[in-house]
Amino acid sequence: MKKSWITSAIAGIVLLCGNVGAAQADDLQKIIDAKTVRAGICLTSEPAGFRDADNTPKGYDVDVANMLAEQLGVALEIVEVEGSTRIPMLLSDKIDVIICNITATTERAKSVDFSFPYLRTGIRLLVQKDGGITGFQDLAGKKVVVGRGTTGEAMVKQRAPEAELVYIENPGDAILQMRQKKADAYIEDSLGIDWIAKTYPDQLMSLPETYSSDPITLGIRKDNPSFLRWLDLFASTYVSSGRYDETYRKWWGTEAPKLNAVW
């Protein structure tokens, strides 16, 4: 096992926030005391997060969660979440951190604090090969699969207001809708879209344009300054150490999208 990158920084971070923690305990110290971190991970979006044939959680986000727990020196408890449940479960203290392809937005930042990014992606459209859709301009009157509360949903509402939205709970439902031709398009980040298109090349294709450049971050409850600072250091070191490129290539087989180490 590799020597901890940042374990030595934990004590200093906690000490810096000690006066604040005396009045209100920060989640970082609670996690260390509990010897367990509860990570909310989506497990229906291969290869970011999924279950293998033995029902064991696997994927990019699972690997990141294991590294995070290792650096904290605690056990990892994986709690399965979905796009629509990840923030409510965080706010209701069912999980300690969201590791589920969550994009940092100003709206979400009203209720959740976000770390430095540990992944980068962008919104793309998955369409039927024979559907004649080449972009948002062709979506009027078409059935478009979206996840409720996602960046993709907001983009379709803004750029194709006449599209008919088909809501799903997880990417598996989206694949079913598209494979059965019950929908014309699916909007989601490029990580999932490109994998689906590669898996079903005879029927589905990913349009080449990327409509955003989105930082994927770790989300935690507000009023946790020492935990947020620790996660910033973790994410930055993860990128600068080369493990970001290594882990991305493991699951997608290509070079990782450009991401600066900001620490």
Side-chain angles (χ1 to χ4, degrees):
M1 182 178 294
K2 295 181 180 179
K3 185 178 180 181
S4 170
W5 312 328
I6 52 179
T7 300
S8 60
I10 295 176
I13 293 171
V14 174
L15 181 61
L16 285 171
C17 299
N19 291 334
V20 175
Q24 179 179 346
D26 189 287
D27 279 355
L28 175 60
Q29 190 60 55
K30 291 179 181 177
I31 290 167
I32 294 170
D33 291 343
K35 297 182 173 55
T36 301
V37 60
R38 301 168 298 169
I41 302 179
C42 297
L43 295 175
T44 56
S45 183
E46 191 172 353
F50 63 101
R51 293 184 183 274
D52 65 13
D54 296 322
N55 206 37
T56 302
K58 298 286 186 180
Y60 179 89
D61 283 341
V62 175
D63 283 358
V64 171
N66 275 298
M67 293 178 207
L68 186 148
E70 177 187 338
Q71 296 307 307
L72 281 169
V74 301
L76 173 65
E77 178 184 340
I78 294 177
V79 180
E80 185 169 359
V81 299
E82 296 177 348
S84 61
T85 64
R86 55 194 172 180
I87 291 179
M89 290 182 71
L90 177 72
L91 299 182
S92 61
D93 196 24
K94 291 182 173 62
I95 58 176
D96 300 310
V97 57
I98 297 172
I99 310 180
C100 173
N101 195 26
I102 190 166
T103 306
T105 67
T106 53
E107 182 61 31
R108 288 172 179 162
K110 294 176 183 177
S111 57
V112 175
D113 276 342
F114 296 104
S115 73
F116 292 164
Y118 71 100
L119 179 61
R120 183 171 292 281
T121 185
I123 294 296
R124 278 191 181 162
L125 283 169
L126 181 77
V127 299
Q128 303 287 348
K129 270 192 168 182
D130 59 1
I133 295 175
T134 60
F136 277 97
Q137 71 277 3
D138 301 320
L139 295 182
K142 301 293 186 180
K143 293 183 177 181
V144 182
V145 177
V146 298
R148 197 176 300 276
T150 62
T151 308
E153 177 195 14
M155 189 174 291
V156 174
K157 286 182 175 180
Q158 179 183 23
R159 302 186 62 167
E162 296 181 0
E164 180 182 344
L165 300 185
V166 179
Y167 288 97
I168 48 90
E169 290 298 324
N170 59 66
D173 294 337
I175 294 172
L176 189 62
Q177 291 282 338
M178 293 296 290
R179 290 280 288 156
Q180 294 180 349
K181 290 200 169 184
K182 293 181 179 179
D184 304 290
Y186 173 38
I187 186 166
E188 191 43 273
D189 68 76
S190 57
L191 304 177
I193 293 297
D194 290 349
W195 183 85
I196 296 170
K198 181 180 179 180
T199 304
Y200 304 102
D202 294 337
Q203 180 187 353
L204 306 174
M205 67 178 183
S206 171
L207 295 185
E209 185 171 356
T210 301
Y211 297 98
S212 65
S213 179
D214 302 319
I216 304 302
T217 68
L218 306 166
I220 63 170
R221 285 179 290 277
K222 286 189 170 296
D223 301 319
N224 284 289
S226 61
F227 192 25
L228 182 60
R229 187 169 175 82
W230 190 95
L231 289 174
D232 283 343
L233 181 55
F234 168 80
S236 182
T237 308
Y238 169 67
V239 173
S240 65
S241 69
R243 297 195 76 175
Y244 167 55
D245 292 316
E246 175 186 326
T247 309
Y248 190 93
R249 190 175 295 276
K250 170 184 174 181
W251 291 106
W252 278 278
T254 61
E255 183 178 352
K258 177 75 173 173
L259 192 59
N260 294 324
V262 290
W263 185 264

